[in-house]
């Protein structure tokens, strides 16, 4: 049988997505070390977090989040009514039976839930995440080996350029300004193609060094579909230098 030109289906994986929870109401049941990690992750995603835990059970980090009013604390054990008006539930308590009961209640209400350290009772997993500004890279072992995911994530991070996060921020700014220059939805494919040219032809150092004036100059080359280098853009601005056209010729 001839080998297919399409990728083989492996199965057994997860659909890894960037879940937008900004402004969503996330309930965290528990206040220990694992809960602290969950809280940190969802706060980084700008969620509104409520923690259900007796105050005496809070670890140092969770207590700090409460003190700084980064999260709301309900000082008691979980009650079913806590699931009213929430969008996501995370549990991190040392009580398997109670955790299972919470998961079942979440399923009845169709609430996405993650039950710490119980993969079969998780609608989603937390991976090991590397963060550099807007850049996020997640490594998941689909619940098989969280520690190994952390090792793999560190290995990936050590091979990334130090300035990758700053470069991505500049690209994001350029992309937003391009949408203002060419707002027509029909321009979408051309915008994507031109931004791809910029990312492929400019080194990270130049992307980081690009300022507002450089962006304004560069956007002038969008319509002809050209991408000059940063040096070419700046050379054009120097006194006594002849002009520079969109085809990279001199006039």
């Amino acid at each position: 049988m001839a080998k297919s030109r399409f990728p083989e289906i492996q199965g057994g994986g997860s659909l890894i997505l960037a879940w937008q929870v900004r402004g969503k109401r996330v309930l965290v049941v528990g206040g220990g070390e694992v809960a602290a990690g969950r809280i940190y992750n969802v706060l980084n995603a700008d969620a509104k977090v409520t923690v259900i835990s007796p105050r005496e059970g809070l670890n140092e980090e969770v207590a700090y989040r409460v003190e700084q009013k980064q999260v709301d604390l309900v000082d008691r054990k979980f009650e079913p009514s806590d699931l009213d008006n929430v969008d996501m539930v995370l549990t991190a308590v040392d009580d398997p039976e109670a955790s299972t009961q919470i998961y079942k209640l979440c399923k009845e209400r169709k609430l996405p839930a993650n039950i710490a350290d119980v993969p079969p009772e998780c609608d989603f997993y937390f991976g090991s995440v590397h963060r550099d500004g807007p850049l996020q890279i997640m490594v998941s072992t689909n619940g098989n080996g969280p520690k190994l995911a952390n090792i793999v994530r560190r290995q990936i991070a050590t091979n990334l350029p130090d300035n990758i996060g700053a470069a991505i921020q500049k690209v994001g700014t350029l992309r937003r300004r391009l949408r203002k220059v060419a707002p027509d939805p029909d321009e979408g494919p051309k915008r994507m193609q031109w931004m791809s040219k910029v990312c492929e032809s400019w080194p990270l150092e130049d992307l980081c060094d690009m300022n507002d004036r450089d962006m304004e100059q560069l956007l002038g080359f969008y319509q002809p579909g050209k991408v000059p280098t940063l040096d070419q853009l700046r050379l054009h601005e120097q006194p006594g230098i002849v002009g520079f056209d969109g085809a990279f010729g001199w006039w």
Side-chain angles (χ1 to χ4, degrees), residues 136-239:
Q136 290 179 268
I137 299 174
M138 189 187 91
V139 177
S140 173
T141 60
N142 287 295
N144 287 284
K147 181 60 179 178
L148 187 57
N150 190 41
I151 293 171
V152 173
R153 186 263 304 165
R154 289 202 306 268
Q155 183 64 43
I156 292 172
T158 58
N159 288 286
L160 291 172
D162 293 336
N163 54 358
I164 185 70
I168 291 171
Q169 284 181 318
K170 292 294 181 73
V171 167
T173 301
L174 179 65
R175 187 165 173 253
R176 288 188 291 274
R177 292 178 66 168
L178 175 59
R179 282 186 171 275
K180 293 180 179 179
V181 170
D184 192 326
D186 292 340
E187 289 277 308
K190 182 179 178 180
R191 286 196 306 264
M192 292 176 63
Q193 185 178 40
W194 188 78
M195 283 299 308
S196 294
K197 284 184 182 179
V198 173
C199 293
E200 290 168 359
S201 59
W202 279 41
L204 291 175
E205 292 74 18
D206 285 356
L207 289 171
C208 292
D209 194 37
M210 178 172 53
N211 57 37
D212 287 345
R213 178 60 180 160
D214 298 328
M215 287 190 193
E216 183 181 344
Q217 289 275 95
L218 181 58
L219 289 168
F221 290 87
Y222 166 72
Q223 286 302 337
K226 304 295 183 180
V227 178
T229 66
L230 182 60
D231 286 341
Q232 288 172 326
L233 283 179
R234 292 179 175 176
L235 186 64
H236 172 44
E237 292 187 315
Q238 293 180 17

